[in-house]
């Protein structure tokens, strides 16, 4: 058992089944164009067997590749004359491996460049405060746009959940406030004004005030047609 | 030796966003003596002063800092204008996102959603031709109605406004991105 | 004249946090000819290369940018109190390679090429602004399309995507790798 632990290579070090396959091919110095499917399948399965339990979410891909390998192996066992060269059952897999090999090569190039570039320090922002304000501008992509919107919505959501401490608004204060509003604007849009109120309580108090104003004929509520916006006019005699 | 030290200090001042104090230089370069460092800074500043250059090392806020020469400000300002052409401020971006996802929409709707007056941002976006006015709403005050433009679609590589990433697509990205770091 | 122009360009590059393209310099300095500007940039870069300096002008991401010289990295890290700079994870790097060579591409294409689900890596790269969404593919499910960004180029010190090794060069690297072990 302990022997087994010695050569145990953690499955986690592999980026995926292709990575593991490529590792086995390289280790055995196999020609990628002519993979001995039977032995590579055996090796591959040995790696999977090292795991006591399979985490389907992470290792499902490895299992899927195992099935594929077994399938290819069974195809290879078919009588020779039935397989022409173009129909080599390994073809698709070889193509994928070759493409993946290129990605790995590109990775090594990028890794080296990353290493080199990390030595050259660049400024993340400008020191001079004179230009900093200008620097706030950025080039944006679709992701930034969508992120801006959905972050905003999320923020909004959280705001709504918050229970606002009810602001104590007295009738007198509201009367005064509304009177000032009328004097300044000469008229008031019913819906707009109520929408601006911070709490329902405050909106209700405003409504009472408005009724009071109408009763004392300080203002006049006008609706041109049914369902049209209600405008409230200040009666200036 | 002095050349090497000069180069080191030059790079340290360059990379600093805040004025780099003598103390900090000294603490960082503990293998050099105070005199050596003083001399190197002096030489370095003299180099920048005497040679024809667009940048200089200034002494400010108890430290050293690179800055552009004041007589070049007009050109820098021009560049900033040029740079702004294809860029957006965070406020403009947020406003644009609201228009994109809520169109057709009005200024008061945008301001309500953002929780802040968005008149300035809308103006910027109109100037950049990212949004356009398509009419007036049949509502009190007859507010202007905004929509995104074709230029907006091109800028973000979209064929139609329906192609905007959905909340599900984005939520996943935002959530996992947070855990990553 | 050339001295003045050189100074202006030096200050413009200095003030840019992102690579400053020739186009932008040209548009900003419309009173100078293309040849004049080209010559001035050449001279400027030569000055920085030949003279003993701690900083240099590099050509990355389709433009010019100031950076410190690589040999000064140990001292800068001391100032910044950074042991080692964060690097991309193997999974993120691999995903980025796929996007770089197969762009424009979709998540399912990336996952197929890597043989493993790449959603998490793509999110990381989006957050780091190494890749960007450029639209949707006209295909069933309308998947999002990804491309590498200018920040990707700067991060790896590339001037353009064409600077990446070609497919033949990659094959050569693979051959060499075989002989290695």
């Amino acid at each position: 058992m302990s022997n087994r632990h010695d050569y145990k290579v953690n499955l986690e070090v592999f980026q995926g089944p292709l990575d593991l396959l490529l590792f086995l091919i390289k280790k055995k110095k196999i020609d990628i164009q002519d993979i001995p499917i039977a032995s590579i399948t055996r090796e591959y399965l040995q790696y999977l067997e090292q795991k006591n339990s399979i985490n389907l979410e992470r290792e499902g891909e490895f299992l899927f590749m195992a099935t594929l390998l077994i399938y290819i192996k069974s195809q290879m066992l078919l009588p020779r004359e039935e397989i022409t060269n173009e129909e080599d059952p390994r073809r698709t897999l070889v193509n994928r491996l070759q493409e993946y090999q290129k990605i790995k090569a590109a990775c090594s190039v990028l890794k080296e460049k990353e290493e080199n570039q990390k030595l050259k320090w660049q400024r993340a922002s400008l020191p001079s405060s004179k230009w900093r304000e200008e620097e706030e501008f950025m080039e944006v992509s679709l992701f930034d746009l969508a992120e801006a919107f959905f972050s905003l919505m999320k923020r909004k959501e959280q705001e709504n959940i918050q229970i606002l401490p009810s602001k104590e608004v007295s009738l007198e204060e509201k009367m005064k406030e509304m009177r000032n509003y009328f004097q300044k604007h000469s008229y008031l849009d019913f819906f707009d004004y109520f929408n601006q109120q911070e709490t329902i309580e405050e909106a209700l108090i405003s409504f009472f005030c408005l009724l009071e104003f109408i009763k004392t004929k300080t203002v006049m509520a006008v609706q041109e047609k049914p369902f049209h916006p209600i405008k409230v006019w200040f009666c200036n005699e | 030796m002095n050349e090497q030290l000069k180069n080191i200090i030059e790079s340290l001042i360059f990379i600093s966003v805040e004025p780099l104090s003598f103390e900090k230089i000294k603490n960082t370069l503990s293998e050099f003596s105070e005199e050596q460092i003083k001399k190197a800074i002096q030489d370095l500043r003299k180099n920048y002063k005497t040679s024809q250059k667009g940048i200089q090392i200034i002494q400010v806020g108890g430290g050293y800092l690179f800055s552009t020469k004041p007589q070049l400000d007009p050109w820098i300002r021009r560049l900033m204008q040029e740079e702004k052409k294809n860029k957006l401020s965070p406020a403009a971006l947020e406003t644009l996102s609201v228009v994109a996802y809520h169109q057709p929409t009005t200024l008061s709707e945008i301001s309500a959603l953002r929780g802040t007056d968005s008149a300035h941002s809308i103006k910027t976006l109109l100037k950049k031709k990212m949004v356009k006015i398509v009419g007036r709403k049949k509502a009190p005050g007859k507010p202007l109605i905004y929509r995104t433009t074709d230029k907006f679609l091109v800028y973000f590589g979209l064929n139609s406004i329906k192609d905007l990433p959905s909340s599900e697509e984005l939520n996943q990205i935002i959530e996992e991105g947070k855990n990553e770091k």
Side-chain angles (χ1 to χ4, degrees), chain A, chain B:
Chain A
M1 277 315 271
S2 64
N3 213 6
R4 227 177 166 181
H5 269 275
D6 288 340
Y7 83 104
K8 184 169 172 176
V9 179
N10 207 341
L11 212 52
E12 261 93 67
V13 306
F14 297 105
Q15 292 301 317
L18 290 175
D19 201 12
L20 173 55
L21 265 185
L22 213 52
F23 166 79
L24 294 176
I25 287 167
K26 212 174 164 185
K27 196 178 94 180
K28 305 217 109 195
K29 295 198 169 143
I30 290 168
D31 178 7
I32 200 164
Q33 296 289 351
D34 189 21
I35 302 171
I37 283 291
S39 76
I40 213 85
T41 304
R42 207 177 315 120
E43 286 261 341
Y44 185 91
L45 290 177
Q46 268 171 17
Y47 271 88
L48 289 199
E49 279 161 11
Q50 286 171 25
K51 296 287 265 185
N52 299 332
S53 62
I54 295 284
N55 172 359
L56 262 186
E57 195 155 340
R58 221 200 92 78
E59 281 117 22
E61 291 155 346
F62 286 89
L63 285 182
F64 185 74
M65 179 60 78
T67 351
L68 184 67
L69 286 172
I70 293 165
Y71 172 75
I72 294 172
K73 197 172 88 176
S74 71
Q75 292 288 298
M76 299 285 286
L77 292 176
L78 290 176
R80 262 287 160 207
E81 53 271 24
E82 282 185 28
I83 307 167
T84 62
N85 199 33
E86 302 90 75
E87 285 169 0
D88 190 327
R90 298 171 296 183
R91 195 68 257 159
T92 319
L93 180 64
V94 170
N95 286 345
R96 282 184 71 190
L97 278 169
Q98 281 180 317
E99 199 56 55
Y100 185 69
Q101 224 175 2
K102 273 191 191 171
I103 293 164
K104 281 301 216 192
C107 252
S108 68
V109 172
L110 285 181
K111 185 104 202 120
E112 200 179 314
K113 287 189 183 294
E114 180 186 39
E115 209 79 49
N116 286 334
Q117 203 57 19
K118 286 277 182 197
L119 301 176
K120 299 177 200 164
W121 290 69
Q122 289 137 29
R123 293 165 306 166
S125 68
L126 295 177
S128 163
S129 57
K130 193 166 36 166
W131 309 115
R132 201 173 255 173
E133 182 200 333
E134 317 268 346
E135 197 206 331
E136 274 270 22
F137 286 78
M138 56 192 171
E139 230 157 319
V140 296
S141 80
L142 191 55
F143 174 66
D144 303 307
L145 181 84
E147 194 193 22
F149 181 70
F150 293 114
S151 304
L152 177 68
M153 293 327 285
K154 205 168 235 179
R155 215 165 67 214
K156 268 276 166 203
E157 231 169 72
Q158 278 158 359
E159 276 172 21
N160 287 348
I161 291 164
Q162 266 178 15
I163 299 159
L164 291 166
S166 56
K167 201 166 85 181
E168 287 289 324
V169 186
S170 75
L171 208 63
E172 287 89 338
E173 270 168 13
K174 203 68 198 171
M175 291 283 269
K176 221 163 100 191
E177 189 196 320
M178 283 181 85
R179 201 186 295 274
N180 285 339
Y181 187 94
F182 279 124
Q183 261 149 10
K184 220 162 133 197
H185 297 272
S186 82
Y187 85 93
L188 170 150
D189 182 286
F190 188 86
F191 281 111
D192 272 7
Y193 189 79
F194 284 97
N195 276 334
Q196 280 169 23
Q197 305 302 310
E198 278 182 43
T199 60
I200 291 179
E201 228 177 305
E202 201 180 339
L204 284 175
I205 291 173
S206 313
F207 188 61
F208 284 129
C209 292
L210 194 61
L211 289 178
E212 193 62 29
F213 280 136
I214 292 170
K215 214 166 76 185
T216 60
K217 294 208 161 61
T218 317
V219 300
M220 197 168 70
V222 182
Q223 191 179 27
E224 282 175 18
K225 285 179 194 164
F227 309 113
H228 266 227
I230 301 167
K231 276 187 182 173
V232 183
W233 292 87
F234 186 47
C235 302
N236 221 345
E237 53 276 307
Chain B
M1 196 57 194
N2 186 255
E3 275 307 312
Q4 157 84 334
L5 181 56
K6 248 170 60 187
N7 289 350
I8 296 170
I9 296 173
E10 186 179 23
S11 72
L12 295 185
I13 298 175
F14 168 80
I15 209 71
S16 298
V17 176
E18 269 151 30
L20 186 63
S21 68
F22 182 76
E23 278 302 303
K24 212 157 179 196
I25 300 176
K26 209 180 67 188
N27 292 342
T28 306
L29 308 177
S30 46
E31 63 266 65
F32 298 94
S33 76
E34 231 179 278
E35 286 67 42
Q36 281 176 312
I37 295 173
K38 258 187 199 147
K39 175 87 172 60
I41 294 177
Q42 242 173 38
D43 288 356
L44 188 61
R45 294 194 67 194
K46 214 195 289 164
N47 285 169
Y48 270 96
K49 226 174 258 166
T50 51
S51 68
Q52 268 276 8
K53 296 202 74 47
I55 53 177
Q56 60 186 348
I57 294 174
I58 54 170
Q59 202 166 4
V60 55
Y64 303 98
L65 203 58
F66 266 107
S67 97
T68 53
K69 297 214 170 144
Q71 62 267 33
L72 301 174
D73 276 7
W75 279 281
I76 294 170
R77 204 159 284 289
R78 263 204 248 165
L79 174 70
M80 293 298 172
Q81 286 313 113
E82 183 67 29
E83 289 271 16
K84 269 191 198 170
K85 272 187 199 163
N86 283 313
K87 292 183 178 178
L88 294 175
S89 70
L93 174 67
E94 198 176 85
T95 305
L96 185 58
S97 77
V98 173
V99 179
Y101 280 89
H102 266 270
Q103 58 189 309
T105 187
T106 64
L107 178 58
S108 61
E109 278 171 19
I110 300 165
S111 299
L113 265 169
R114 290 189 59 219
T116 176
D117 179 44
S118 306
H120 184 75
S121 296
I122 272 288
K123 234 179 256 167
T124 311
L125 294 170
L126 277 170
K127 234 191 270 167
K128 284 185 190 288
K129 298 200 195 304
M130 287 290 193
V131 302
K132 61 183 175 191
I133 298 166
V134 292
R136 279 183 188 277
K137 198 173 171 180
K138 281 183 193 132
K142 294 206 171 172
L144 296 167
I145 306 171
Y146 298 94
R147 272 193 179 280
T148 52
T149 60
D150 286 347
K151 192 186 165 193
F152 163 86
L153 291 178
V154 173
Y155 188 98
F156 290 99
L158 297 166
N159 284 317
S160 110
I161 208 68
K162 286 187 211 116
D163 288 350
L164 283 169
S166 70
S167 131
E168 289 76 38
E169 276 173 312
L170 251 291
N171 266 340
Q172 250 182 331
I173 294 172
I174 295 169
E175 284 311 309
E176 300 224 4
K178 262 178 203 155
N179 300 339
E180 179 70 12
K181 247 198 175 172

